[in-house]
Amino acid sequence: AHILDGSYNPFALDSAKGVGPTGKAFDNPAALADSAASGLTSQHAPTRTFDFNASGSVFKLPAGDVKLGFGGDYVRDNFSEIPEAIFFSGDLLGLNGNNPTISRDYGAGLFAEFHVPIISQNMNVPLVRSLNLSLAGRYDYKTVEGYANGSSGTTLSHSFTTNNPKVGLRWMITDDLLVRGTWGTGFR
């Protein structure tokens, strides 16, 4: 509107005032102030987490203590992004509002690990200072939810579980030479 009535000169700086080539006076700061609009997008993203774990020696073998560690965790993430209506009115040039979005995910996991000493230095086995086995596993459950069209429409949900084992062997040949290997699975 201000371009059409000549009170804003698009070819001058936004801070310029004066008379345009048509002889019409313009005041860009006043025209911009009159046309100004603002809007907010509200975002909310709380996260809740709980976890626990414990570890210790379970029993003793000739090579040393068998150790067990176990635990679990829970996480819940919520997310919402709600723009004000002005973003959808068409009054803001170059600013397109996102659709309102609401989503959440939550899940839990359990894990355990055993550390088993097979041979120790005290056993005097040639070429073996120590030999240790580790066995571990983790179970996870996760659900992700949202809505078609951002914040309204059909609820979309996907759940999955995963089991991830891990096996490791640690062979200390001398104080200066260590061989170890691990096999396991995982996910992100």
Side-chain angles (χ1 to χ4, degrees):
H2 289 288
I3 293 174
L4 291 177
D5 70 14
S7 61
Y8 178 79
N9 183 347
F11 303 106
L13 296 174
D14 287 345
S15 59
K17 296 179 184 179
V19 177
T22 61
K24 177 83 174 154
F26 67 90
D27 184 349
N28 283 358
L32 288 172
D34 183 50
S35 300
S38 64
L40 296 175
T41 297
S42 173
Q43 291 183 337
H44 186 68
T47 297
R48 292 181 210 126
T49 60
F50 304 98
D51 62 69
F52 70 94
N53 60 63
S55 62
S57 296
V58 186
F59 57 90
K60 192 168 187 70
L61 291 176
D65 289 345
V66 174
K67 296 184 180 182
L68 168 67
F70 64 93
D73 53 51
Y74 171 83
V75 63
R76 180 180 179 111
D77 295 314
N78 293 327
F79 178 77
S80 67
E81 182 175 78
I82 312 295
E84 289 182 341
I86 193 167
F87 287 103
F88 304 103
S89 67
D91 291 339
L92 300 177
L93 182 63
L95 295 174
N96 299 318
N98 293 331
N99 281 335
T101 302
I102 298 173
S103 64
R104 71 177 161 260
D105 66 77
Y106 52 91
L110 298 171
F111 61 89
E113 182 170 358
F114 281 98
H115 175 77
V116 182
I118 300 169
I119 299 173
S120 72
Q121 182 176 355
N122 298 339
M123 299 172 104
N124 296 318
V125 176
L127 296 176
V128 182
R129 275 253 202 244
S130 66
L131 183 64
N132 298 302
L133 173 70
S134 65
L135 302 168
R138 182 172 175 91
Y139 167 82
D140 285 285
Y141 171 83
K142 183 126 176 146
T143 297
V144 179
E145 297 176 341
Y147 297 94
N149 300 323
S151 65
S152 62
T154 309
T155 300
L156 306 174
S157 179
H158 179 70
S159 296
F160 61 91
T161 61
T162 182
N163 295 299
N164 294 290
K166 182 173 141 184
V167 178
L169 192 63
R170 185 178 187 274
W171 173 26
M172 182 172 264
I173 301 167
T174 68
D175 285 338
D176 298 320
L177 182 59
L178 171 69
V179 176
R180 63 181 163 196
T182 304
W183 172 87
T185 63
F187 84 102
R188 285 188 166 247

